[in-house]
DNA sequence: ATGAAAGCGCTAACAG
DNA sequence: CTGTTAGCGCTTTCAT
C-alpha cells in the first residue's frame, strides 16, 4: 500500500509538501498541489491513521462510554448512540463504543491513558459521577450526555426535564385533569441518584404545586411488570385518577395493560402521556401514545459537535492542573421533549359527557 | 505522561525488555519482570495505543459497519451491537461504530485503507453485497453478521431462519392451526434481496408444504401501520385465519391492534407468534407475545470472537490475491431463535370449545 | 512557497 | 535471558 514517500517521489516533491497539501496547515501553490493530488489519486493513497495519530497526537477517535447492562439499550439511548456515530463520521472522526462498568474506575483510567481517545462522551451520568473526575484528571476532554449535580466547568447536553414535565402537566391540566399520577423510574434508580428520575420528580412536584394539584408519585421498575405494579398502587393511592404521566418508557406498556385489566379505557377513562419516548415506541401501543418525544439523535449529534469544538482548542492541560479543561469553551445545553398528541389522551371522564351548553341547562 | 523509556530507566533495563514484559513475546526472568512491573506501577505507565499500533501493525480496533437509516436500530440489531462491543472490550479490543451507507463503496474503501481497523463486522448484509468484495480486496478480515447468497470463503454468524420458521410453524401446527398467515418484511426489502425476508419466506413455504398447509404470505412495511395494512389483506385472502406468524418485529404491534379492531381476541380467536424478537419487546404487548426469541447479544459476541480468531492467524494476503482471506479459518455459524411461549398463542377457536373427553360424550 | 530532518512511542529484528 | 537499533508513516519545527 502506497505511503507518503511514494506519493512524494511520484509528484517530485518532498514528503512534507505532501503532508501539507493533506492537512492544509500551510499554503501550497496550486501547481504543486495538483501534482500531489494527481500522484495520490494514481497511487490510491490513503494516509495511515495510526501514523498520523502518533505524529500529530490526535487520534481522530472519540469514545462513547456507556455502561452496558444486561437489559441493553432503550430506544432513546440507542438514538443517542446513532446520532453520535453519524455526527462523528460526518466530521471525519471515528466513534468507539466503550462498555465500561460504572464502577470500573481503573478500567476507565486505563482507557483514558492509552491516548487513543481525543475526547469522550459520557452516557448514563449519575448526579455524583466519579467517572467525570477520572476523565478530567486524565486530561481527556469530556462532554456529558446527561449531567451531574454540580456542572461547574463541565459541558453537557441533556434533556430538559423541567420543561418537559412542566409542559406535560400543563397539557393534561388544560385538558381538565386534576388527579394525575406520575410514574417514575425505580426506587433503586432514584436512590442511586439517577438524574432523569430525580429531576423529573422535582419538576413534577413544582408543576403540580403551581396548579394546586396534589402530586401523586410512584416509582416503577423499568419493565412492563413494574408498570403494572405501579398502576396497582396508583389505584390504591388515587382511585379517582384520570391521568398517568409516565417517565418510564418500559413501564408504560404495563400501565396500559393494567389499565385494561382494571376495566379502564384509554383515553376515555384515563389519559396516558409517556415522557422521553421515541415515536417508534409510541406507535407500538394501541391507541398510539401521546408522548413528550425525546430529542433522540439530536442529543448525540450536538454532544459530538461540542466535543469537537473542545478539541479545536487546547485539549491537554499545560500544567496538569486537576481543575477545569478550559473554562472558555464550556457548553451546557438542555433540549426539551416536544409534545406529540396521539391517541392516548383526552379530557377526563367527568368532563367528557358534558357537552358545551349543558352547564346552564338548569339555571 | 510516562513512556516506555521512563519505565526502562527506572527499572534499569532496556526499552525492549519493557516491551517484552508487556507483550510476552519472549521470556523474561521473573526478577526483571518484577522490576519492570514495579516501575510501570510507580509511574502509572500505560502503553500508547497509536505508537503500539504503528509499530506492530495492529490497531486492536475492530470496525462494526452498519448502514444507519433514519429509522434507527431495532432491538435485535442493538443487541448485536452491544454484544459485539462487550466481547471486543473483553478481549482488549476497541470497537468502532462506522455508519457507512450501503451504497458508499468509496467511503468504505477509504475506511478500509486507513489501516485503522484490524478487521470488521458487517451488518445488514444483502444477498449480493458489494461491500464484501471491497473489504476483501482491501485485505481486511471480515465476519458477516448475516450472510450473502454465496458464502464461499466467507465467515459469518447469522440467525437460522430455516429452523426458526420450521419450529414456529411446527408449534402452531401442533396446536391445531391450519390457516396460518405469514407476515414478512416489506416488498421493497424482499426486492432488494434482504436475506432474512427471503430466507424466512422460503422456509415458510417449505414448512407449510411439509404439513399440507396452504402458505399465505403477506409483506408489511416495518411499522405498526404496515402491520395493520398487512392484517387487512390477510383477512381478504384468508378470512378464516387462526394464526399469524410475524417476521416483522415492528409490524407485529400493528397486527395486534388490527386484530382487536376486527373484534378478534388474542389468543382465543387468533394466535400470534413474533419471530426474531427480543423478550423486552415481547413483554410490551398485552398479552405478552409468544416469540421465537432472537439470539441477541450472542450473535455479536460470536462474530467478534471469530473475527479475533482470524486475526490470530495471518491477516494480510502475502501476494495480494484478491481471493479468499485464508480459507483454513473460515467459520460459518447459524444460531436458531428459541421458542418462548407467552400469552399470545393457544389452540385455534374451533378446537378450543372442545375440552378433552367431550368427543366421546355421545357414544 | 518548499525542503530537510528530528522525532512521536513503540515493536521486532539483530546481536550478544 | 537481555540490550541495541532500525524503522512503522506521518507531522512539524527549523531552514531557506
Amino acid at each position: 500500500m502506497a505511503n507518503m514517500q511514494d506519493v512524494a517521489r511520484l509528484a517530485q516533491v518532498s514528503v512534507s509538501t505532501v503532508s501539507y497539501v493533506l492537512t492544509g496547515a500551510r499554503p501550497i501553490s496550486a501547481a504543486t498541489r495538483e501534482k500531489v493530488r494527481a500522484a495520490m489519486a494514481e497511487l490510491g493513497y490513503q494516509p495511515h491513521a495510526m501514523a498520523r495519530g502518533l505524529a500529530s497526537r490526535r487520534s481522530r477517535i472519540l469514545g462513547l462510554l456507556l455502561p452496558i447492562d444486561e437489559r441493553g439499550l432503550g430506544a432513546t439511548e440507542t438514538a443517542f448512540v446513532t446520532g453520535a456515530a453519524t455526527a462523528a463520521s460526518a466530521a471525519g472522526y471515528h466513534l468507539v463504543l466503550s462498555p465500561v462498568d460504572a464502577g470500573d474506575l481503573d478500567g476507565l483510567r486505563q482507557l483514558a491513558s492509552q491516548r487513543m481517545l481525543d475526547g469522550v462522551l459520557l452516557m448514563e451520568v449519575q448526579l455524583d459521577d466519579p467517572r467525570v473526575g477520572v476523565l478530567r484528571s486524565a486530561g481527556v476532554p469530556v462532554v456529558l450526555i446527561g449531567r451531574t449535580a454540580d456542572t461547574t466547568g463541565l459541558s453537557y447536553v441533556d434533556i430538559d426535564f423541567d420543561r418537559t414535565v412542566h409542559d406535560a402537566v400543563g397539557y393534561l391540566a388544560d385538558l381538565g385533569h386534576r388527579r394525575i399520577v406520575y410514574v417514575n423510574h425505580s426506587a433503586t434508580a432514584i436512590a442511586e441518584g439517577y438524574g432523569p428520575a430525580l429531576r423529573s420528580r422535582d419538576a413534577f412536584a413544582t408543576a403540580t404545586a403551581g396548579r394546586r394539584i396534589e402530586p401523586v408519585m410512584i416509582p416503577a421498575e423499568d419493565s412492563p411488570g413494574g408498570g403494572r405494579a405501579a398502576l396497582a398502587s396508583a389505584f390504591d393511592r388515587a382511585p379517582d385518577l384520570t391521568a398517568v404521566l409516565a417517565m418510564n418508557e418500559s413501564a408504560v406498556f404495563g400501565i396500559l395493560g393494567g389499565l385494561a385489566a382494571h376495566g379502564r379505557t384509554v383515553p376515555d377513562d384515563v389519559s396516558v402521556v409517556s415522557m422521553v419516548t421515541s415515536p417508534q415506541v409510541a406507535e407500538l401501543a394501541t391507541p398510539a401514545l401521546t408522548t413528550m418525544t425525546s430529542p433522540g439523535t439530536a442529543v448525540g449529534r450536538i454532544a459530538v459537535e461540542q466535543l469537537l469544538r473542545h478539541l479545536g482548542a487546547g485539549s491537554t492541560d499545560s500544567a496538569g492542573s486537576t481543575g477545569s479543561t478550559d473554562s472558555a469553551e464550556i457548553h451546557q445545553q438542555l433540549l426539551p421533549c416536544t409534545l406529540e398528541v396521539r391517541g392516548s389522551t383526552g379530557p377526563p371522564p367527568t368532563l367528557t359527557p358534558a357537552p358545551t351548553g349543558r352547564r346552564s341547562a338548569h339555571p
Side-chain angles (χ1 to χ4, degrees), chain A:
Chain A
M1 214 147 265
N3 67 19
M4 206 169 244
Q5 283 250 38
D6 301 330
V7 176
R9 201 150 32 217
L10 183 60
Q12 320 232 49
V13 296
S14 71
V15 279
S16 62
T17 298
V18 177
S19 173
Y20 285 120
V21 322
L22 219 50
T23 63
R26 87 179 179 193
I28 299 286
S29 76
T32 31
R33 197 182 334 164
E34 272 324 303
K35 269 198 310 190
V36 173
R37 286 252 159 80
M40 297 200 300
E42 183 172 339
L43 296 174
Y45 171 74
Q46 276 297 127
H48 186 132
M50 306 249 133
R52 182 193 277 234
L54 178 58
S56 67
R57 273 145 266 266
R58 294 168 136 286
S59 64
R60 301 199 141 247
I61 301 179
L62 267 26
L64 180 54
L65 272 44
L66 75 176
I68 293 191
D69 22 30
E70 325 65 58
R71 187 164 34 271
L73 304 178
T76 300
E77 291 143 306
T78 302
F80 293 170
V81 175
T82 59
T86 307
S89 176
Y93 273 72
H94 295 275
L95 210 238
V96 345
L97 213 57
S98 290
V100 187
D101 290 330
D104 186 11
L105 262 24
D106 279 327
L108 220 203
R109 214 181 319 265
Q110 215 167 305
L111 184 67
S113 313
Q114 286 184 153
R115 260 82 107 261
M116 166 155 281
L117 271 22
D118 282 351
V120 308
L121 261 34
L122 202 57
M123 278 184 62
E124 309 271 301
V125 181
Q126 307 283 8
L127 281 193
D128 184 7
D129 203 313
R131 297 177 298 167
V132 177
V134 169
L135 254 14
R136 298 186 116 199
S137 61
V140 180
V142 186
V143 169
L144 310 180
I145 291 184
R147 65 201 133 120
T148 49
D150 177 6
T151 57
T152 313
L154 286 173
S155 286
Y156 65 78
V157 180
D158 196 4
I159 288 170
D160 189 340
F161 296 102
D162 274 15
R163 186 162 153 202
T164 299
V165 172
H166 183 88
D167 289 355
V169 170
Y171 166 67
L172 250 15
D174 288 350
L175 235 30
H177 293 276
R178 284 296 170 274
R179 287 301 267 172
I180 304 173
V181 172
Y182 163 72
V183 177
N184 201 344
H185 286 282
S186 71
T188 312
I190 295 173
E192 279 175 353
Y194 182 53
L198 265 20
R199 295 196 177 91
S200 61
R201 179 195 62 185
D202 296 346
F204 184 71
T206 306
T208 48
R211 292 177 179 264
R212 310 196 151 280
I213 292 175
E214 186 199 343
V216 181
M217 308 197 266
I218 296 178
E221 297 297 321
D222 288 9
S223 70
R228 271 188 296 275
L231 188 70
S233 53
F235 276 123
D236 272 2
R237 292 187 36 197
D240 55 338
L241 67 89
T242 66
V244 175
L245 194 56
M247 182 57 201
N248 191 321
E249 201 180 19
S250 311
V252 74
F253 284 82
I255 293 173
L256 256 21
L259 247 15
H262 277 258
R264 300 297 210 288
T265 304
V266 173
D268 296 339
D269 298 326
V270 177
S271 285
V272 176
V273 174
S274 185
M275 304 205 294
V276 196
T277 300
S278 68
Q280 289 91 327
V281 171
E283 297 289 352
L284 297 184
T286 308
L289 289 167
T290 292
T291 61
M292 297 303 296
T293 300
S294 76
T297 56
V299 174
R301 179 174 48 70
I302 294 175
V304 163
E305 288 166 0
Q306 288 311 323
L307 185 52
L308 255 23
R309 285 196 42 233
H310 282 221
L311 302 186
S315 54
T316 335
D317 284 10
S318 42
S321 68
T322 314
S324 65
T325 319
D326 47 350
S327 38
E329 292 284 8
I330 280 164
H331 179 95
Q332 308 189 327
Q333 183 169 6
L334 257 23
L335 300 175
C337 294
T338 54
L339 175 67
E340 283 190 36
V341 177
R342 296 197 183 78
S344 68
T345 48
T350 39
L351 267 45
T352 308
T356 359
R358 232 271 206 78
R359 208 171 17 170
S360 54
H362 304 290

